[in-house]
Amino acid sequence: MNADRPPHPVPPRAPGLRPALDALAARRTTAVALIEQALDAAQASKRELRAFAAIDRDGALARAAESDARYAQGRPRTLEGLPIGIKDLIDTQGIETGYGSAAWLGHLPTADADVVRALTERGAIPVGKTATHEFAWGVTTASATFGDTLNPLDRTRIPGGSSGGAAAAIACGAVAAGLGTDTGGSVRIPAALCGVVGFKPTFGALPTRGIFPLAPTLDHPGFLGATVDDVAMLAEAFHIDMPPHDVPASVRLGVLREIAPVPLDANVAAAFDTAVARLGPLFACATLDAPGLFDGVFEAFAHIVLTEGGVGHFRHNDADRIAADYGCETIERLERAKTLTLGDYARAQQTRRDFTARLYRAMSAVDCLLLPTCPCTAPRVGQASIDIGDWSGTVREALMTYTAPFNVAGFPAISIPLAARDGLLPAGLQIVAKPGHDGALLQIAQQIERVLHADASTHSHTTRSTQ
């Protein structure tokens, strides 16, 4: 068996948010029926994949009954009756929210996070809390306390993290979309590894109140969905709207194939090159020539996360509680945080400013960047290091090298699936825009998604016809 070939059948996806909304509006189904189906699927994914940390059956069904009443009265809201997942890092009133940690077992927030409230006020219904790496401080969604979350496309593989539960829930068909967070790639990485869509808007575009902080100057709430349209529907609740006109033919895409020192593995390289070739006739694509663009940025990112994460945890917890209730991985990072100085943090912030200025200059002649989301497909559960070509390093370094820079700069970025050919595991195509161009980014991503999906469908049909 090919080492990258999924041993499990690809699970069916949940209907997208828009088809579900159309079915509700036409009364072909009810919100109660839709939510019951999502709850059953969520429970199964909790049991088999550990995609959910908690499920709110009673609360979700009560909200669904209210949604059906609004449909009957002819006054549904824009997301009325749609099931979604909420990352366990994000507060939900009355639904257990443990932030992925044994330190917060049984915690029931008294209020919804602002991002949750914006969606529920428009009729969306949280069915439960999707699993997260402890305090969002990791890229595997592994947990010695609760068990590792598994990739539904291959249960020997990780789903990525830290929003791995949301990506797994969408990939296995439990829900079509949900809320995550992204500090260094935590929406886009699991989206890429699970073959779904992950969107991180411009820094500051979404409120963070009610979300457990990792590194406040890097933390971005974000969306995951089965398609770009799914995440765009949720983004509309925050006034992120696609332009009313079609994507201009003059859109310029800067192609960035690799970020040193981490090369692409063969499968990702082939999928990325095929996608760029397919897009070439439709967009103005050009290789981005920006030597030294990413110099020092990953080291600066690591210093900022360690410093801000350490300050947050040491401010609110005593050493005994950390030692007793935190996982070993988080404790190890907090120990490293103690070794950093204010000077280290100041230098990291200066590197950040320098990098952001370089990125603006590099993108002055293009509308968006195209690059892989991750340099490899999903690593195996428990795998600590990875070899790609002549490069060796940790799984964390490999998965974050292509995503973390855009948290450092605060630029909006989205990952859409690259076609997984011949049963191979999926990879992600990352598209990055300038700050404030979130709606245009979604529109361009949707157009690229259509092109690549049509290409994949044609390839699949041709392959079946020749068998």
Side-chain angles (χ1 to χ4, degrees), residues 16-147:
L17 293 184
R18 199 170 301 278
L21 197 64
D22 291 343
L24 287 165
R27 307 308 286 151
R28 295 193 300 273
T29 190
T30 65
V32 167
L34 197 64
I35 295 302
E36 283 182 334
Q37 182 180 23
L39 287 166
D40 289 345
Q43 188 64 52
S45 73
K46 183 177 186 289
R47 180 178 62 251
E48 297 171 11
L49 304 168
R50 291 178 284 277
F52 278 81
I55 294 174
D56 183 32
R57 179 170 290 274
D58 292 343
L61 288 173
R63 288 177 185 263
E66 294 170 359
S67 288
D68 282 331
R70 289 193 182 90
Y71 277 109
Q73 295 161 7
R75 52 183 187 90
R77 299 165 293 182
T78 54
L79 299 172
E80 194 69 69
L82 297 177
I84 59 172
I86 307 293
K87 185 177 181 178
D88 195 34
L89 200 72
I90 304 172
D91 283 351
T92 43
Q93 183 177 7
I95 306 175
E96 184 174 359
T97 302
Y99 313 125
S101 178
W104 289 86
L105 282 173
H107 171 58
L108 295 176
T110 57
D112 284 335
D114 288 351
V115 286
V116 175
R117 186 179 304 109
L119 297 178
T120 58
E121 285 179 348
R122 288 163 176 79
I125 300 176
V127 296
K129 308 305 293 289
T130 52
T132 177
H133 208 103
E134 185 175 42
F135 302 121
W137 214 338
V139 296
T140 62
T141 317
S143 173
T145 301
F146 304 110

Side-chain angles (χ1 to χ4, degrees), residues 47 98 133 137 209 218 255 263 274 278 346 350 418 424 458:
R47 180 178 62 251
H133 208 103
W137 214 338
R209 186 171 64 174
L218 297 167
V255 179
T274 298
R278 182 71 180 88
Q350 183 59 54
L418 286 169
L424 299 178
T458 300

Side-chain angles (χ1 to χ4, degrees), residues 20 118 195 286 373 425 451:
T373 308
L425 290 166
V451 171

Side-chain angles (χ1 to χ4, degrees), residues 56 60 64 77 86 98 136 145 157 182 215 223 235 254 265 328 417 448:
D56 183 32
R77 299 165 293 182
I86 307 293
T145 301
R157 307 277 176 160
D182 190 312
F223 311 102
D265 76 15
C328 294
I448 291 174

Side-chain angles (χ1 to χ4, degrees), residues 265-434:
D265 76 15
N267 290 332
V268 175
F272 180 76
D273 292 343
T274 298
V276 171
R278 182 71 180 88
L279 296 172
L282 304 173
F283 298 95
C285 295
T287 299
L288 190 73
D289 184 19
L293 174 59
F294 297 97
D295 285 357
V297 68
F298 193 78
E299 293 80 3
F301 164 81
H303 277 76
I304 293 168
V305 172
L306 284 171
T307 302
E308 295 183 4
V311 167
H313 284 279
F314 290 132
R315 178 191 300 162
H316 299 293
N317 299 280
D318 59 43
D320 289 341
R321 186 187 190 202
I322 290 174
D325 296 329
Y326 280 28
C328 294
E329 189 177 10
T330 305
I331 291 173
E332 186 272 332
R333 294 208 170 102
L334 290 174
E335 289 300 313
R336 288 174 56 200
K338 292 178 182 179
T339 69
L340 299 178
T341 67
L342 186 58
D344 294 327
Y345 183 70
R347 284 187 290 274
Q349 290 291 0
Q350 183 59 54
T351 300
R352 175 187 211 164
R353 290 187 288 272
D354 293 342
F355 165 68
T356 302
R358 292 197 302 270
L359 185 58
Y360 269 110
R361 289 195 297 271
M363 292 185 65
S364 61
V366 300
D367 297 291
C368 291
L369 296 181
L370 285 185
L371 68 160
T373 308
C374 297
C376 57
T377 56
R380 295 191 180 278
V381 172
Q383 183 176 343
S385 61
I386 190 167
D387 299 326
I388 307 174
D390 293 332
W391 180 86
S392 296
T394 66
V395 166
R396 176 182 173 83
E397 290 170 323
L399 295 183
M400 297 180 73
T401 292
Y402 288 62
T403 56
F406 307 109
N407 295 82
V408 172
F411 283 35
I414 189 169
S415 177
I416 65 175
L418 286 169
R421 305 236 170 168
D422 301 324
L424 299 178
L425 290 166
L429 176 68
Q430 187 173 196
I431 313 166
V432 181
K434 302 181 189 84

